[in-house]
Amino acid sequence: MDHDCECIYLVGAALGAVVSIVLLWLGYRLGVIYQLFHKVETQSPCHGGEVVAQVLQSHGVKFVFTLVGGHISPILVACEKLGIRVVDTRHEATAVFAADAVARLSGTVGVAAVTAGPGLTNTVTAIKNAQMAESPLLLIGGAAATLLQGRGALQDIDQLSLFKPICKFCASVRTIRDIVPVLRKALAEAQSGTPGPVFVEFPIDILYPYHVIQKELAPKGAPKGIMGKIINWYLQNHLNNLFAGAWEPRDTSPLPVSIPKATAEQIQQCVELLSRAKKPVFILGSQSTLPPAPVEKLRKALESLGIPCFLGGMARGMLGRDSPIHIRQNRRDALKEADLVILAGTVCDFRLSYGRVLNRRSKIIAVNRDRSQLLKNSDMFWKPTVAIQGDAGSFILSLAEGLHGYTCPSDWTEGLKAGDITKEKANKEKAEEKTERHLNPLRVLHLVDDALPEDSIIVADGGDFVGSAAYILRPRGPLRWLDPGAFGTLGVGGGFALGAKLCRPESEVWVVFGDGSLGYSIVEYDTYTRHKTPIISVVGNDACWSQISREQVPMLGSNVACGLAFNDYHVVADGFGGKGFLVTRQDEDRIADIIKEAQDSAKKGKAALINVLIGKTNFRDGSISV
C-alpha cells in the first residue's frame, strides 16, 4: 500500500512539474512573465515609428526613400522630425534604386520604406538587383497587424517568404522592444561579409501609439460567458505584451561589421608572383570600391604600382579621365598576352565569358568577399593560382605596401595604351559618319563627354545607346559611374540619379537613357521637381528596342514587339516641371549649345531632358543606319 502511494505521489509530482513547465512556457510565449518586470505605459503618446527613426539616425542614415502608405506613416513622420530627409517617389522600385545609389556613393546603408503587400512586391526586382550588385540596403516594409496575419487582412501576404531568397537577413518585428535589436542586427548584416539587402517587416500595431491600437483591439461590447472573458484577456494581454518595456532606454549604436581580409601569407604569396610578372593586368570590379578602403587611397595605390587596369561596374572612373594605366579597349587581346591577371572583385561570369577569355598559361590571383563568386566557373574554364576570400580594396592597399618601389614594365603598359589610342581614334572617326535621317549617336555621346565637368556623375540605364556610352563617356573620378550591375536591370536610371543628386548636390548628375528604358523612369521628373534635384538626362531615341531587334530580325524574320515611336519625351519632362529639349538632324550644328542650355537649366534648379533622335548603331562593328 505504501509503495502504491509513493508511485501515485511521484506521478503527481511529475505531472505537476510538467504543468508548471507548460505554464511557464505559455507565460513566456504570451509575454506574461516579461510584463511582470517591465512597465506598460498606457498613457504614453510614443510610438514604434520613433524608435525606428532613432536607430536609423544612430547609424548615420540621412535619407529614407518611400512611396507612402498607412502601414508605415509613423516611421516617415518620425524620420522627418529627427532631420532624416524623407524622399517620396512615384514607384516603389525607384525608392529602392535611389537607396541603392546612396549605399554605393556614401559607403553607408541605403534605406527604403514601403507599404505592405503590393508596395513590397513592387520592390522585388530592385532588391534582386541590389543583391547581385552587392549593395548594402535596408528595406523596411509595412505589414498587417500581428493578430490579423494569415486571416485575410488587407494587403496581407507572406512577405518574409518572398524576400528570404533575395535578402541576406529577414525578420518580422513582433513587439516594440524588439525594434532596436532587430534593426541593429539587420544594418550590421547588410554591410558584413558580402554586402547586400536586408528586409525588416513592421506590423502596423508595432508602429502606432498604445491608445490607437487599444481602440482597434477593444471588444465592441462587454464579454459574454467564459469564452468571451478568455478572448478579452488574451487581447488585452497581447496589447500589453506589444508595449511592455517599449520605452526603456536601449543602445541604438551600430554593431561591429565583419569584413573578410587576405592573410599576411596570402599577401606575401601575391607579392612574389607579381614581382616576377612581366605582363601583369588588373581587372577591377565594383567590390573594389567598397569600404573600408578609401577610393582615393586605392587610386594612389594603383598608380604607384603602374599596372595596366581594366575597370568595370562601380570601378569605372577609379583612375580618372585620362590615366596612362587605364586601358579601355582590346581587353580580350590583353588577357591573351598577360602572364598574371589579378581579378579584384571581378567575377568570371558572362562579362568575362565565364573565364574563357583568361589565358590558361597565365597566373591568376582572384580576390572576392563571396566564395561562390570567387570560384565561379573555375571548375570549367579557368583555375586560380591564388584564391583569396577577402576585401579587394584592402588587398590592393596591402599589395602596394608589399611592393614598395616596384614598377610595372613600361613597354607592356605603353603597348596596351597605344592600342587604346588607336581604337579610340577609329571610334571617333565612326562618330563623324553621316546617317540618312537622324543623328549619329556616337557623335552625340562624344559631345556629351566633352561637356561633362570634373565633378559629374554618370548613370547608365539602357541597352544599345548605353552600350555605346560605356565605351565613349569617361567618368572623371572614383564613384562617378552608376550602372545596374550583373542583373542588367532596365529602369534603374530614375532612382540612381535621384540618390546620386541627393548624395552629391554639388555634382552634375547625368543619366544616359535608351528610349526603351526611359519608359520606366520618366514619371520621376515629377519627383525631381518636388524634391529640387535637378538632374540632366540624354535620351537616345531611335524608336526601337534596338539591342533586341538587331538579332531578332535576321534570326527570326520579324520585328514584332521591338518597335517604339519617336515620342516627344521632352514634352513629358516639361509637363512634370522640368525642361525638355528636342534635338533633331536640323540641330546638328547646335548640339553642344543645347547641352549647355540643359546644364544651365539644371543650375537654375530645373531637371533637364535632352530628347535626341538618333540612327540605330551597332558599335561593335561600327555600322550605322537609320
Side-chain angles (χ1 to χ4, degrees), residues 100-110 136 191 289-292 479 503-504:
D100 187 340
V102 167
R104 299 188 196 195
L105 294 177
S106 69
T108 59
V109 178
Q191 300 170 87
T289 66
L290 291 171
L479 300 180
C503 272
R504 310 264 181 86

Side-chain angles (χ1 to χ4, degrees), residues 9-29:
Y9 173 79
L10 290 173
V11 169
L15 287 173
V18 169
V19 169
S20 298
I21 291 169
V22 169
L23 289 174
L24 282 171
W25 180 81
L26 283 172
Y28 170 77
R29 291 287 296 172

Side-chain angles (χ1 to χ4, degrees), residues 52-61 82 84 187 251-254:
V52 175
Q54 288 163 10
V55 177
L56 297 182
Q57 184 186 53
S58 296
H59 285 72
V61 173
L82 288 183
I84 298 172
L187 287 159
D251 182 8
T252 60
S253 64

Side-chain angles (χ1 to χ4, degrees), residues 99-156:
D100 187 340
V102 167
R104 299 188 196 195
L105 294 177
S106 69
T108 59
V109 178
V111 180
V114 300
T115 197
L120 275 161
T121 58
N122 277 346
T123 70
V124 169
T125 297
I127 290 295
K128 181 62 184 180
N129 191 81
Q131 181 199 36
M132 293 189 68
E134 301 174 346
S135 294
L137 191 150
L138 168 63
L139 177 64
I140 291 172
T146 50
L147 279 179
L148 296 179
Q149 290 182 357
R151 298 180 181 275
L154 175 67
Q155 298 180 335
D156 177 34

Side-chain angles (χ1 to χ4, degrees), residues 38-312:
H38 299 271
K39 190 177 179 182
V40 179
E41 299 181 39
T42 59
Q43 302 303 311
S44 174
C46 297
H47 57 79
E50 294 170 338
V51 183
V52 175
Q54 288 163 10
V55 177
L56 297 182
Q57 184 186 53
S58 296
H59 285 72
V61 173
K62 292 182 171 60
F63 309 103
V64 170
F65 298 94
T66 190
L67 198 156
V68 71
H71 288 87
I72 57 168
S73 289
I75 295 174
L76 305 181
V77 172
C79 284
E80 181 189 40
K81 286 181 178 177
L82 288 183
I84 298 172
R85 186 167 175 181
V86 177
V87 183
D88 59 307
T89 63
R90 298 300 299 271
H91 196 287
E92 289 89 353
T94 301
V96 174
F97 288 136
D100 187 340
V102 167
R104 299 188 196 195
L105 294 177
S106 69
T108 59
V109 178
V111 180
V114 300
T115 197
L120 275 161
T121 58
N122 277 346
T123 70
V124 169
T125 297
I127 290 295
K128 181 62 184 180
N129 191 81
Q131 181 199 36
M132 293 189 68
E134 301 174 346
S135 294
L137 191 150
L138 168 63
L139 177 64
I140 291 172
T146 50
L147 279 179
L148 296 179
Q149 290 182 357
R151 298 180 181 275
L154 175 67
Q155 298 180 335
D156 177 34
I157 59 171
D158 182 0
Q159 297 173 160
L160 292 180
S161 293
L162 191 65
F163 285 96
K164 279 178 180 176
I166 57 175
C167 288
K168 293 184 67 184
F169 172 86
C170 289
S172 180
V173 177
R174 310 314 287 177
T175 66
I176 295 171
R177 62 182 175 270
D178 292 331
I179 292 176
V180 171
V182 169
L183 274 182
R184 291 177 79 205
K185 183 177 181 182
L187 287 159
E189 188 64 29
Q191 300 170 87
S192 293
T194 305
V198 294
F199 170 57
V200 179
E201 173 187 271
F202 288 91
I204 195 168
D205 50 349
I206 300 297
L207 297 176
Y208 280 83
Y210 184 94
H211 69 273
V212 174
I213 307 304
Q214 183 184 42
K215 185 178 177 182
E216 292 296 319
L217 284 178
K220 303 304 178 187
K224 296 179 180 178
I226 293 176
M227 186 54 67
K229 289 179 180 178
I230 291 173
I231 292 173
N232 193 45
W233 175 88
Y234 179 80
L235 293 174
Q236 185 61 49
N237 179 73
H238 182 79
L239 174 64
N240 289 342
N241 188 45
L242 289 177
F243 286 85
W247 318 124
E248 294 173 4
R250 289 181 174 84
D251 182 8
T252 60
S253 64
L255 293 171
V257 172
S258 172
I259 298 172
K261 293 187 179 180
T263 65
E265 291 76 15
Q266 289 171 325
I267 296 292
Q268 183 57 38
Q269 187 180 3
C270 295
V271 164
E272 292 170 7
L273 284 172
L274 189 50
S275 63
R276 293 194 294 267
K278 303 298 182 186
K279 296 181 177 182
V281 166
F282 266 114
I283 306 180
L284 276 77
S286 296
Q287 246 190 49
S288 62
T289 66
L290 291 171
V295 287
E296 288 295 344
K297 196 173 178 182
L298 184 59
R299 176 180 179 172
K300 289 177 182 175
L302 291 168
E303 289 171 344
S304 72
L305 290 168
I307 297 169
C309 296
F310 290 95
L311 308 176

